[in-house]
Amino acid sequence: MTVGTLGGADALDPFRPLQDGRYADGTVDIAPEGLRPAPGARHIVRTPHFDLSGRGPELIVRHALNADTVDEDLTGLLWSELFEPGWVRGADSFERIMTGVVRTVAADPLDAWTAFYRNTIRRLDECLDDTVATRGDGCAQGIEGYAPVYARARTLCEGSGSVIELGCCFGFLSLLLARDGVAAVASDVSPGTVGLLSAVAGRLGLGIRTLVADATHVPAASGCADTVLMLHLLEHLDSEQGERAITEAIRLARERAVIAVPLESDANETFGHVRTIDLADLDRWGRWTGRPYEVAEDHGGWLTIDCTG
């Protein structure tokens, strides 16, 4: 059976208090394995990392992760074990299950999310040091998928004293840039995401600034950063919104705007993608700006726009 995106849930809250060790928000009930579902739950599937059941409209997930093993690879595990096979579908369900798994690896919410961030950054460093990431042109998933994307972005930021990342999501790249000594501003439309990043950055001792903003209208001065990054954002926006976001990136950048997209054959709705983008689209956008630009293919598609003129 397939379980769809469910309505009637509370707002997604990364700091939600646990209830008897469970993350429960009205549509998902997440806990480590060993905590049995309440009577009446119907079992759906057991995978290497998850046990999925249902009770009415509620998804019940028990997981095998802990504070030592939880990291951004969780996205790939959820996709490959629950969503790609069709046991669960929908971006909302994906976000709620992921939040619940991370939240239940520690009693204190900030401890749980700090473990997630620390483990991810450590693994990103290991991937880059060992060059274990393999070439892939589709939708980046997990740490090995994103490590080469972050590596190229960091290379393109060399010499930049300041960077704004639009649509930062968890903000791993902004944290890495801050560690590199760059004055980084991480921006996202989600207040919860930005609040989480700000709290964890303080715990990690990394001095980034955060900003809640729509990428199509950022409350910041023109030319306020050397480089503006927009990585894996445009596939979440429709055509009109995407062009407005590109215009905004150019306005904010003193030197360059860097855009990266996955090269998918189909838009992945689980990750909130609403369209596919190819290299021809990037070239068309580059010409549309009327500025010097470069299109490249490297673990996805890249458009770098010269904003110095």
Side-chain angles (χ1 to χ4, degrees):
M1 66 179 297
T2 297
V3 182
T5 302
L6 305 171
D10 296 340
L12 190 64
D13 180 6
F15 296 105
R16 176 183 294 278
L18 300 183
Q19 302 176 16
D20 300 321
R22 298 159 34 245
Y23 178 95
D25 67 4
T27 61
V28 299
D29 179 330
I30 316 295
E33 58 185 1
L35 190 60
R36 297 175 62 84
R42 65 191 187 283
H43 188 257
I44 299 172
V45 67
R46 173 78 185 186
T47 73
H49 295 91
F50 308 104
D51 192 277
L52 177 67
S53 300
R55 183 177 53 239
E58 187 177 44
L59 291 172
I60 303 170
V61 179
R62 299 296 179 255
H63 64 85
L65 301 176
N66 56 51
D68 294 324
T69 59
V70 70
D71 56 33
E72 176 60 11
D73 276 347
L74 174 59
T75 60
L77 295 178
L78 288 173
W79 168 250
S80 63
E81 295 183 23
L82 296 183
F83 286 80
E84 186 177 30
W87 298 113
V88 188
R89 68 171 181 264
D92 183 70
S93 294
F94 187 92
E95 292 176 1
R96 290 179 185 278
I97 294 173
M98 181 168 182
T99 297
V101 171
V102 176
R103 184 60 197 84
T104 54
V105 301
D108 179 81
L110 193 51
D111 287 344
W113 285 106
T114 299
F116 172 77
Y117 272 81
R118 285 191 194 279
N119 294 340
T120 299
I121 291 172
R122 174 180 52 79
R123 287 283 316 287
L124 283 168
D125 288 339
E126 291 172 354
C127 281
L128 295 174
D129 289 344
D130 297 339
T131 62
V132 298
T134 59
R135 181 172 179 78
D137 296 326
C139 177
Q141 297 174 30
I143 293 168
E144 289 190 16
Y146 269 105
V149 176
Y150 292 161
R152 183 180 180 92
R154 290 165 77 183
T155 297
L156 291 170
C157 289
E158 288 178 356
S160 297
S162 59
V163 170
I164 294 179
E165 183 185 6
L166 303 181
C168 69
C169 192
F170 285 118
F172 299 123
L173 178 56
S174 287
L175 292 171
L176 292 172
L177 290 170
R179 198 181 62 179
D180 292 341
V182 177
V185 176
S187 173
D188 197 272
V189 71
S190 167
T193 297
V194 171
L196 171 63
L197 174 58
S198 181
V200 173
R203 178 73 73 89
L204 297 176
L206 294 172
I208 67 169
R209 290 175 52 210
T210 56
L211 177 66
V212 178
D214 187 319
T216 66
H217 184 72
V218 180
S222 298
C224 61
D226 294 332
T227 299
V228 175
L229 298 173
M230 216 159 39
L231 272 56
H232 290 216
L233 173 63
L234 291 182
E235 65 273 17
H236 297 267
L237 307 178
D238 64 28
S239 178
E240 180 183 354
Q241 292 171 325
E243 291 184 358
R244 287 164 54 197
I246 294 171
T247 300
E248 191 71 340
I250 293 171
R251 181 186 72 82
L252 296 169
R254 280 191 295 267
E255 298 178 358
R256 69 190 67 83
V258 177
I259 295 166
V261 297
L263 300 176
E264 301 175 286
S265 56
D266 298 294
N268 192 320
E269 68 168 9
T270 298
F271 297 137
H273 300 178
V274 300
R275 59 172 173 165
T276 59
I277 299 169
D278 59 25
L279 296 177
D281 293 320
L282 296 178
D283 185 68
R284 176 172 54 83
W285 289 333
R287 287 185 280 107
W288 169 73
T289 69
R291 296 171 178 271
Y293 70 94
E294 177 183 343
V295 172
E297 182 177 356
D298 182 5
H299 295 84
W302 295 79
L303 170 62
T304 302
I305 303 167
D306 185 343
C307 300
T308 57

